[in-house]
Amino acid sequence: MTFTSVGLPALEDLAPIDQAEHARMCSRIVRVLQEEGGYMDFERFMELVLYEPELGFYQRETGQFGDEGSFTTAPEMGPLFARCLAQPCRQVLDEVGGVVLEVGAGRGTLACDLLLALQSAGALPDEYLILERSAALRRRQSALLDTLDEPLRGRVRWVNEAPEMRGIVIANEVLDALPVQRFEVFADDVRPLGVTLDGGSFQWRTGPSDRDLTAWYEELRGSLFELLPVGYRSERCRQLASTMARFCGPLERGVVLFVDYGYTRATYYHPQRTDGTLMCHFKHRAHSDPFVFAGLQDVTASVDFTAVARVGEQLGMTVAGYTSQTWFLLGCGLQAVLASLRAGEFTRQAQVAKKLLMPGEMGERVHALALARGFEQPLEAFALRDRSGRLASD
Ligand SMILES: C[S@@+](CC[C@H](N)C(=O)[O-])C[C@H]1O[C@@H](n2cnc3c(N)ncnc32)[C@H](O)[C@@H]1O
């Protein structure tokens, strides 16, 4: 996602429909708070504001992607990203055949552009499956994919569960949209941070000790070189393992490719990152307050790629590559893709390439990680610079 970090508008200045939907979302949260004794874990809050049917940010009919939305993801910037991703798809499909499964397909732009790129390369999958949590986004995807010709549209199918399959699974900016638990470090304890209602607005509140969090934190401390200071706040994703199991488990042979904002564990839980990685995006403005614009804004936390690699290994997969988006896209042949474009398109996509590659933009903040099962070939996309070794020790 790209965004700018400037002042936020006042709620009263929003469109009446946005104000009304925000009010309904807040009433829903307040009702849950009342049912749960005035306190809820932040993970529950994030679940509600992102995925509550009809009210959550990703369950709304509009307002997420592109100029009229809150953020722009790599596939939404033009076909360059999809044409790069066609390279690992081709390599995996050439070797194992089968399907592409896209998890969390947003408004369907990557699916459209990737199918067109694979058609040009003569490497279409048997099917293009989409596993999407949001009913509203499934409708948007379907409307966009209906614009494709039948030979392509006929390959697309939505699934509620990943079937047993061979091929490649793609998840771009999906793991960073999973609800996370937030915590704070105390002198002799670690406690969850949750949400309460105070003076008519949502506020942070420290929750009761949680044995599962404490055990997880003890393990984390053992793997870090430096102690985390008192007052340190960060996040952990408890839904990572169950979410990954849904599409890594059924993959008999092939590769799962994650591209997301995130870092290795040591960088993620660096002692200087004292307020974690939680970010909110509202109409292309980034800020750190998840309690404003509930339901109208995105709330996201970066991905601990060491945790992703470990879950993959527990699911019987091996890490087949980990690198920054810059080196990943260059490894996918971005320069050759650019060189193949006509003059007008080249100029536009060269600007996109800058955003995707520049270290201060997405280049070093987004990483790609591939997990493989029954696929032994080195992935060309990671041939230029593979940092897998850092997942364990960095
Ligand atoms: C930040 S958007 C990224 C969309 C798209 N991949 C892109 O790059 O434009 C996150 C997407 O993941 C979907 N999503 C989140 N959790 C999911 C889950 N557990 N299973 C399937 N889709 C999920 C959201 O509904 C949304 O489509």
Side-chain angles (χ1 to χ4, degrees), residues 45-117:
F45 178 87
M46 193 163 162
E47 183 80 35
L48 286 169
V49 295
L50 294 185
Y51 299 110
E52 179 68 2
E54 290 175 27
L55 298 176
F57 177 73
Y58 283 111
Q59 301 283 7
R60 301 183 74 214
E61 294 297 330
T62 56
Q64 301 92 2
F65 305 93
D67 291 345
E68 82 281 12
S70 279
F71 54 74
T72 305
T73 57
E76 295 290 337
M77 294 177 198
L80 186 62
F81 185 76
R83 290 184 192 170
C84 290
L85 250 55
Q87 192 274 341
C89 288
R90 225 175 45 211
Q91 190 187 353
V92 175
L93 293 171
D94 272 357
E95 175 73 11
V96 305
V99 305
V100 173
L101 168 67
E102 185 180 350
V103 183
R107 61 176 173 188
T109 311
L110 178 62
C112 243
D113 289 339
L114 190 50
L115 275 163
L116 289 166

Coordinates of all heavy atoms in Angstrom, one line a residue, residues 45-117:
F45 N -11.5 -6.4 18.6 CA -11.9 -5.1 18.0 C -11.5 -5.0 16.5 O -12.3 -4.6 15.7 CB -11.1 -4.0 18.8 CG -11.3 -2.6 18.3 CD1 -12.4 -1.9 18.7 CD2 -10.5 -2.1 17.4 CE1 -12.7 -0.6 18.3 CE2 -10.7 -0.8 16.9 CZ -11.8 -0.1 17.3
M46 N -10.3 -5.5 16.2 CA -9.8 -5.5 14.8 C -10.6 -6.4 13.9 O -10.9 -6.0 12.8 CB -8.3 -5.9 14.8 CG -7.6 -5.6 13.5 SD -5.8 -5.7 13.8 CE -5.2 -5.8 12.1
E47 N -11.1 -7.5 14.5 CA -11.9 -8.4 13.7 C -13.2 -7.7 13.4 O -13.7 -7.8 12.2 CB -12.2 -9.6 14.6 CG -13.1 -10.7 14.1 CD -12.3 -11.6 13.2 OE1 -11.1 -11.9 13.4 OE2 -12.9 -12.1 12.2
L48 N -13.8 -7.0 14.4 CA -15.1 -6.3 14.1 C -14.9 -5.1 13.1 O -15.7 -5.1 12.1 CB -15.6 -5.7 15.4 CG -16.2 -6.6 16.5 CD1 -16.4 -5.9 17.8 CD2 -17.5 -7.2 16.0
V49 N -13.9 -4.3 13.3 CA -13.8 -3.1 12.4 C -13.4 -3.5 11.0 O -13.7 -2.7 10.0 CB -12.9 -2.0 12.9 CG1 -13.4 -1.4 14.2 CG2 -11.4 -2.5 13.1
L50 N -12.8 -4.7 10.8 CA -12.4 -5.0 9.4 C -13.4 -6.0 8.8 O -13.7 -5.9 7.6 CB -11.0 -5.7 9.4 CG -9.8 -4.9 9.8 CD1 -8.5 -5.7 9.6 CD2 -9.8 -3.6 8.9
Y51 N -14.0 -6.9 9.6 CA -14.7 -8.0 9.0 C -16.1 -8.2 9.4 O -16.8 -9.2 9.0 CB -13.9 -9.3 9.1 CG -12.6 -9.3 8.5 CD1 -11.4 -9.2 9.3 CD2 -12.4 -9.2 7.1 CE1 -10.1 -9.1 8.7 CE2 -11.2 -9.1 6.5 CZ -10.0 -9.0 7.3 OH -8.8 -8.9 6.7
E52 N -16.7 -7.4 10.3 CA -18.0 -7.6 10.7 C -18.9 -7.5 9.5 O -18.8 -6.5 8.7 CB -18.4 -6.4 11.7 CG -19.8 -6.5 12.2 CD -20.1 -7.7 13.1 OE1 -19.2 -8.5 13.4 OE2 -21.3 -7.8 13.5
P53 N -19.8 -8.5 9.2 CA -20.6 -8.4 8.0 C -21.3 -7.1 7.8 O -21.9 -6.5 8.8 CB -21.6 -9.6 8.3 CG -20.9 -10.5 9.1 CD -20.1 -9.7 10.1
E54 N -21.2 -6.6 6.6 CA -21.8 -5.3 6.1 C -21.2 -4.1 6.7 O -21.2 -3.0 6.1 CB -23.3 -5.3 6.4 CG -24.0 -6.2 5.5 CD -25.5 -6.3 5.8 OE1 -26.1 -5.3 6.3 OE2 -26.1 -7.4 5.6
L55 N -20.6 -4.1 7.9 CA -20.1 -2.9 8.6 C -18.6 -2.8 8.5 O -18.0 -1.7 8.5 CB -20.5 -2.9 10.1 CG -22.0 -2.9 10.3 CD1 -22.3 -3.0 11.8 CD2 -22.6 -1.6 9.8
G56 N -17.8 -3.9 8.6 CA -16.4 -3.9 8.6 C -15.8 -3.3 7.4 O -16.4 -3.3 6.3
F57 N -14.6 -2.7 7.5 CA -13.9 -2.0 6.4 C -13.9 -2.9 5.1 O -14.2 -2.4 4.0 CB -12.5 -1.7 6.8 CG -11.7 -1.0 5.7 CD1 -12.0 0.3 5.3 CD2 -10.7 -1.7 5.1 CE1 -11.2 0.9 4.3 CE2 -9.9 -1.1 4.1 CZ -10.2 0.2 3.7
Y58 N -13.5 -4.2 5.3 CA -13.4 -5.0 4.1 C -14.8 -5.6 3.6 O -14.9 -6.3 2.6 CB -12.4 -6.2 4.3 CG -11.0 -5.7 4.2 CD1 -10.2 -5.6 5.3 CD2 -10.5 -5.3 3.0 CE1 -8.9 -5.2 5.2 CE2 -9.2 -4.8 2.9 CZ -8.4 -4.8 4.0 OH -7.1 -4.3 3.9
Q59 N -15.8 -5.4 4.4 CA -17.1 -5.9 4.1 C -18.0 -4.8 3.4 O -19.2 -5.1 3.1 CB -17.9 -6.4 5.3 CG -17.1 -7.5 6.0 CD -17.3 -8.9 5.3 OE1 -17.8 -9.0 4.2 NE2 -16.8 -9.9 6.0
R60 N -17.4 -3.6 3.3 CA -18.2 -2.5 2.7 C -18.1 -2.6 1.1 O -17.2 -3.2 0.6 CB -17.7 -1.2 3.1 CG -17.7 -1.0 4.6 CD -17.2 0.4 5.0 NE -18.2 1.4 4.6 CZ -17.9 2.7 4.2 NH1 -16.6 3.0 4.1 NH2 -18.8 3.5 3.9
E61 N -19.1 -2.1 0.5 CA -19.2 -2.2 -1.0 C -18.0 -1.4 -1.7 O -17.6 -1.7 -2.8 CB -20.5 -1.7 -1.5 CG -21.7 -2.6 -1.1 CD -21.6 -4.1 -1.6 OE1 -21.0 -4.3 -2.7 OE2 -22.1 -5.0 -0.9
T62 N -17.6 -0.3 -1.1 CA -16.6 0.6 -1.7 C -15.7 1.1 -0.5 O -15.9 0.9 0.6 CB -17.1 1.8 -2.4 OG1 -17.9 2.5 -1.4 CG2 -18.0 1.4 -3.6
G63 N -14.6 1.9 -0.9 CA -13.9 2.6 0.0 C -12.5 2.0 0.4 O -11.8 2.6 1.2
Q64 N -12.2 0.9 -0.2 CA -10.9 0.3 0.2 C -9.8 0.7 -0.8 O -8.8 1.3 -0.3 CB -11.0 -1.3 0.2 CG -12.0 -1.8 1.2 CD -13.4 -2.0 0.5 OE1 -13.5 -1.8 -0.7 NE2 -14.3 -2.5 1.2
F65 N -9.9 0.4 -2.0 CA -8.8 0.4 -3.0 C -8.8 1.6 -3.9 O -9.9 2.1 -4.2 CB -8.8 -0.9 -3.8 CG -8.8 -2.1 -3.0 CD1 -10.0 -2.8 -2.7 CD2 -7.6 -2.7 -2.5 CE1 -10.0 -3.9 -1.9 CE2 -7.6 -3.8 -1.8 CZ -8.8 -4.4 -1.4
G66 N -7.6 2.0 -4.4 CA -7.5 2.9 -5.4 C -7.7 4.4 -5.0 O -7.9 4.7 -3.8
D67 N -7.8 5.3 -6.0 CA -7.9 6.7 -5.7 C -9.1 7.0 -4.8 O -9.0 7.9 -3.9 CB -8.1 7.5 -7.0 CG -6.8 7.4 -7.8 OD1 -5.8 7.0 -7.2 OD2 -6.8 7.7 -9.0
E68 N -10.3 6.4 -5.0 CA -11.4 6.7 -4.2 C -11.5 6.0 -2.9 O -12.4 6.2 -2.1 CB -12.7 6.4 -5.0 CG -13.2 5.0 -5.0 CD -12.4 4.1 -6.0 OE1 -11.4 4.5 -6.5 OE2 -12.9 2.9 -6.2
G69 N -10.4 5.1 -2.6 CA -10.4 4.3 -1.4 C -9.4 4.9 -0.4 O -9.2 6.1 -0.3
S70 N -8.9 3.9 0.4 CA -8.0 4.3 1.5 C -6.5 4.0 1.2 O -5.6 4.6 1.8 CB -8.4 3.6 2.7 OG -9.5 4.3 3.3
F71 N -6.2 3.1 0.3 CA -4.8 2.7 0.0 C -4.7 2.1 -1.4 O -5.8 1.8 -2.1 CB -4.2 1.8 1.0 CG -5.1 0.5 1.2 CD1 -5.1 -0.5 0.2 CD2 -5.9 0.3 2.3 CE1 -5.9 -1.6 0.4 CE2 -6.6 -0.8 2.5 CZ -6.6 -1.8 1.5
T72 N -3.5 2.1 -1.9 CA -3.3 1.5 -3.3 C -2.3 0.3 -3.1 O -1.2 0.6 -2.6 CB -2.7 2.5 -4.2 OG1 -3.6 3.6 -4.2 CG2 -2.6 2.0 -5.6
T73 N -2.7 -0.9 -3.4 CA -1.7 -2.0 -3.3 C -1.0 -2.1 -4.7 O -1.4 -1.5 -5.7 CB -2.5 -3.3 -3.1 OG1 -3.5 -3.5 -4.1 CG2 -3.2 -3.3 -1.7
A74 N 0.1 -2.9 -4.7 CA 0.9 -3.1 -5.9 C 0.1 -3.4 -7.1 O 0.3 -2.8 -8.2 CB 2.0 -4.1 -5.6
P75 N -0.8 -4.4 -7.1 CA -1.5 -4.8 -8.3 C -2.4 -3.6 -8.8 O -2.8 -3.6 -10.0 CB -2.4 -6.0 -7.9 CG -2.0 -6.4 -6.5 CD -1.1 -5.3 -5.9
E76 N -2.8 -2.7 -7.9 CA -3.7 -1.6 -8.2 C -2.9 -0.5 -8.9 O -3.6 0.4 -9.4 CB -4.4 -1.1 -7.0 CG -5.4 -2.1 -6.3 CD -6.6 -2.4 -7.2 OE1 -6.9 -1.5 -8.0 OE2 -7.2 -3.4 -7.0
M77 N -1.6 -0.6 -9.0 CA -0.8 0.5 -9.6 C -0.7 0.3 -11.1 O -0.1 1.1 -11.8 CB 0.5 0.6 -9.0 CG 0.5 1.0 -7.5 SD 2.2 1.0 -6.9 CE 1.9 1.0 -5.1
G78 N -1.1 -0.8 -11.6 CA -0.9 -1.1 -13.0 C -0.5 -2.5 -13.2 O -0.3 -3.2 -12.2
P79 N -0.4 -3.0 -14.4 CA -0.2 -4.5 -14.6 C 1.3 -4.9 -14.4 O 1.5 -6.1 -14.4 CB -0.5 -4.6 -16.1 CG -0.3 -3.3 -16.7 CD -0.6 -2.3 -15.7
L80 N 2.2 -4.0 -14.0 CA 3.6 -4.4 -13.9 C 3.8 -5.5 -12.8 O 4.5 -6.5 -13.1 CB 4.4 -3.2 -13.5 CG 5.9 -3.3 -13.4 CD1 6.5 -3.7 -14.7 CD2 6.6 -2.1 -12.9
F81 N 3.2 -5.4 -11.7 CA 3.3 -6.3 -10.6 C 2.8 -7.7 -11.0 O 3.5 -8.7 -10.8 CB 2.5 -5.8 -9.4 CG 2.7 -6.6 -8.1 CD1 3.9 -6.6 -7.4 CD2 1.7 -7.5 -7.7 CE1 4.0 -7.3 -6.2 CE2 1.8 -8.2 -6.5 CZ 3.0 -8.2 -5.8
A82 N 1.6 -7.7 -11.6 CA 1.1 -9.0 -12.1 C 2.0 -9.7 -13.1 O 2.2 -10.9 -13.1 CB -0.3 -8.8 -12.7
R83 N 2.5 -8.8 -14.0 CA 3.4 -9.4 -15.1 C 4.6 -10.0 -14.5 O 5.2 -11.0 -15.0 CB 3.7 -8.4 -16.2 CG 2.4 -8.0 -17.0 CD 2.7 -7.1 -18.1 NE 1.4 -6.6 -18.6 CZ 1.3 -5.6 -19.5 NH1 2.3 -5.0 -19.9 NH2 0.1 -5.2 -19.9
C84 N 5.1 -9.4 -13.4 CA 6.3 -10.0 -12.7 C 5.9 -11.3 -12.1 O 6.6 -12.3 -12.2 CB 6.8 -9.0 -11.7 SG 7.6 -7.5 -12.4
L85 N 4.7 -11.3 -11.4 CA 4.3 -12.5 -10.7 C 4.1 -13.7 -11.7 O 4.1 -14.9 -11.3 CB 3.0 -12.2 -9.9 CG 3.2 -12.2 -8.4 CD1 4.3 -11.3 -7.9 CD2 1.9 -11.9 -7.6
A86 N 3.8 -13.3 -12.9 CA 3.6 -14.4 -13.9 C 4.8 -15.3 -14.0 O 4.7 -16.5 -14.3 CB 3.3 -13.8 -15.3
Q87 N 6.0 -14.7 -13.7 CA 7.3 -15.5 -13.9 C 7.3 -16.7 -12.9 O 7.4 -17.8 -13.3 CB 8.5 -14.6 -13.7 CG 9.8 -15.2 -14.1 CD 10.4 -15.9 -13.0 OE1 10.1 -15.7 -11.8 NE2 11.3 -16.8 -13.3
P88 N 7.2 -16.5 -11.5 CA 7.1 -17.7 -10.6 C 5.9 -18.6 -10.9 O 6.1 -19.8 -10.8 CB 7.1 -17.1 -9.2 CG 6.8 -15.6 -9.4 CD 7.2 -15.2 -10.8
C89 N 4.8 -18.0 -11.3 CA 3.6 -18.8 -11.7 C 4.0 -19.8 -12.8 O 3.8 -21.0 -12.7 CB 2.4 -18.0 -12.1 SG 1.7 -17.1 -10.8
R90 N 4.6 -19.2 -13.8 CA 5.0 -20.1 -15.0 C 6.0 -21.2 -14.6 O 5.9 -22.3 -14.9 CB 5.7 -19.2 -16.0 CG 5.2 -19.4 -17.4 CD 5.7 -18.5 -18.4 NE 7.1 -18.2 -18.2 CZ 7.7 -17.1 -18.5 NH1 7.0 -16.1 -19.0 NH2 9.0 -16.9 -18.4
Q91 N 7.0 -20.8 -13.7 CA 8.0 -21.8 -13.3 C 7.3 -22.9 -12.6 O 7.6 -24.1 -12.8 CB 9.1 -21.1 -12.5 CG 10.3 -22.1 -12.3 CD 11.3 -21.6 -11.3 OE1 11.3 -20.4 -10.8 NE2 12.3 -22.4 -11.0
V92 N 6.4 -22.6 -11.6 CA 5.8 -23.6 -10.8 C 4.8 -24.5 -11.7 O 4.9 -25.7 -11.6 CB 5.1 -23.0 -9.6 CG1 4.3 -24.1 -8.8 CG2 6.1 -22.3 -8.7
L93 N 4.0 -23.8 -12.5 CA 3.0 -24.5 -13.3 C 3.7 -25.4 -14.3 O 3.3 -26.5 -14.6 CB 2.1 -23.5 -14.0 CG 1.1 -22.8 -13.0 CD1 0.4 -21.7 -13.8 CD2 0.2 -23.7 -12.3
D94 N 4.9 -24.9 -14.9 CA 5.6 -25.8 -15.8 C 6.0 -27.1 -15.2 O 6.0 -28.1 -15.8 CB 6.9 -25.1 -16.3 CG 6.7 -24.2 -17.5 OD1 5.5 -24.2 -18.0 OD2 7.6 -23.4 -17.8
E95 N 6.4 -27.0 -13.9 CA 7.0 -28.2 -13.2 C 5.9 -29.1 -12.7 O 5.9 -30.3 -12.8 CB 7.9 -27.7 -12.1 CG 8.4 -28.7 -11.2 CD 9.5 -29.6 -11.8 OE1 10.0 -29.2 -12.9 OE2 9.9 -30.6 -11.2
V96 N 4.8 -28.5 -12.0 CA 3.8 -29.4 -11.4 C 2.5 -29.3 -12.0 O 1.6 -30.1 -11.6 CB 3.7 -29.0 -9.8 CG1 5.1 -29.1 -9.2 CG2 3.1 -27.7 -9.6
G97 N 2.2 -28.4 -12.9 CA 0.9 -28.2 -13.5 C -0.1 -27.7 -12.5 O 0.3 -27.2 -11.4
G98 N -1.4 -27.8 -12.8 CA -2.4 -27.5 -11.8 C -2.9 -26.1 -11.8 O -3.1 -25.5 -12.9
V99 N -3.2 -25.5 -10.7 CA -4.0 -24.3 -10.6 C -3.2 -23.1 -9.9 O -2.2 -23.4 -9.3 CB -5.3 -24.5 -9.8 CG1 -6.1 -25.7 -10.3 CG2 -4.9 -24.8 -8.3
V100 N -3.7 -21.9 -10.1 CA -3.3 -20.8 -9.3 C -4.5 -20.6 -8.3 O -5.6 -20.6 -8.6 CB -3.2 -19.5 -10.1 CG1 -2.9 -18.3 -9.2 CG2 -2.1 -19.6 -11.1
L101 N -4.1 -20.5 -7.0 CA -5.1 -20.1 -6.0 C -4.7 -18.8 -5.4 O -3.6 -18.6 -4.9 CB -5.1 -21.1 -4.8 CG -5.9 -20.7 -3.6 CD1 -7.4 -20.6 -3.8 CD2 -5.7 -21.7 -2.4
E102 N -5.5 -17.8 -5.6 CA -5.2 -16.4 -5.0 C -6.1 -16.3 -3.7 O -7.3 -16.4 -3.7 CB -5.6 -15.3 -6.0 CG -5.1 -14.0 -5.3 CD -5.4 -12.7 -6.2 OE1 -5.7 -12.9 -7.4 OE2 -5.2 -11.6 -5.6
V103 N -5.4 -16.0 -2.6 CA -6.0 -15.8 -1.3 C -6.2 -14.2 -1.2 O -5.2 -13.5 -1.4 CB -5.2 -16.3 -0.2 CG1 -6.0 -16.2 1.2 CG2 -4.9 -17.8 -0.4
G104 N -7.4 -13.8 -0.8 CA -7.6 -12.4 -0.5 C -7.4 -11.5 -1.7 O -6.4 -10.8 -1.8
A105 N -8.3 -11.6 -2.7 CA -8.0 -11.0 -4.0 C -8.4 -9.6 -4.2 O -8.5 -9.0 -5.3 CB -8.7 -11.9 -5.1
G106 N -8.8 -8.9 -3.1 CA -9.1 -7.5 -3.2 C -10.2 -7.2 -4.1 O -11.3 -7.8 -4.1
R107 N -10.0 -6.3 -5.1 CA -11.1 -6.1 -6.1 C -10.9 -6.9 -7.4 O -11.6 -6.6 -8.3 CB -11.4 -4.6 -6.3 CG -10.3 -3.8 -6.8 CD -10.8 -2.4 -7.1 NE -9.8 -1.5 -7.5 CZ -9.9 -0.2 -7.6 NH1 -11.1 0.4 -7.4 NH2 -8.9 0.6 -7.9
G108 N -9.9 -7.8 -7.4 CA -9.8 -8.7 -8.5 C -8.8 -8.3 -9.6 O -8.6 -9.0 -10.6
T109 N -8.1 -7.2 -9.3 CA -7.2 -6.6 -10.3 C -6.0 -7.6 -10.6 O -5.7 -7.8 -11.8 CB -6.6 -5.3 -9.8 OG1 -7.8 -4.5 -9.4 CG2 -5.9 -4.6 -10.9
L110 N -5.4 -8.2 -9.6 CA -4.3 -9.1 -9.8 C -4.8 -10.3 -10.6 O -4.1 -10.7 -11.5 CB -3.7 -9.5 -8.5 CG -2.5 -10.5 -8.6 CD1 -1.3 -9.9 -9.3 CD2 -2.0 -10.9 -7.2
A111 N -5.9 -10.8 -10.2 CA -6.5 -12.0 -10.9 C -6.6 -11.7 -12.4 O -6.1 -12.5 -13.3 CB -7.8 -12.4 -10.3
C112 N -7.2 -10.5 -12.7 CA -7.4 -10.1 -14.2 C -6.0 -10.0 -14.9 O -5.8 -10.6 -15.9 CB -8.0 -8.8 -14.2 SG -9.6 -8.7 -14.9
D113 N -5.1 -9.2 -14.3 CA -3.8 -9.0 -15.0 C -3.0 -10.2 -15.1 O -2.2 -10.4 -16.0 CB -3.1 -7.8 -14.3 CG -3.8 -6.5 -14.6 OD1 -4.6 -6.4 -15.6 OD2 -3.6 -5.5 -13.8
L114 N -3.0 -11.1 -14.0 CA -2.2 -12.3 -14.0 C -2.7 -13.3 -15.1 O -1.9 -13.9 -15.8 CB -2.2 -12.9 -12.6 CG -1.2 -14.0 -12.3 CD1 0.2 -13.6 -12.7 CD2 -1.2 -14.3 -10.8
L115 N -4.0 -13.4 -15.2 CA -4.6 -14.3 -16.2 C -4.2 -13.8 -17.6 O -3.8 -14.6 -18.4 CB -6.1 -14.4 -16.1 CG -6.6 -15.4 -15.0 CD1 -8.1 -15.1 -14.7 CD2 -6.4 -16.8 -15.5
L116 N -4.2 -12.5 -17.8 CA -3.8 -12.0 -19.1 C -2.4 -12.2 -19.4 O -2.0 -12.6 -20.5 CB -4.2 -10.5 -19.2 CG -5.7 -10.1 -19.3 CD1 -5.9 -8.7 -19.0 CD2 -6.2 -10.5 -20.7
A117 N -1.5 -12.0 -18.3 CA -0.1 -12.2 -18.5 C 0.2 -13.7 -18.8 O 1.1 -14.0 -19.6 CB 0.7 -11.7 -17.3

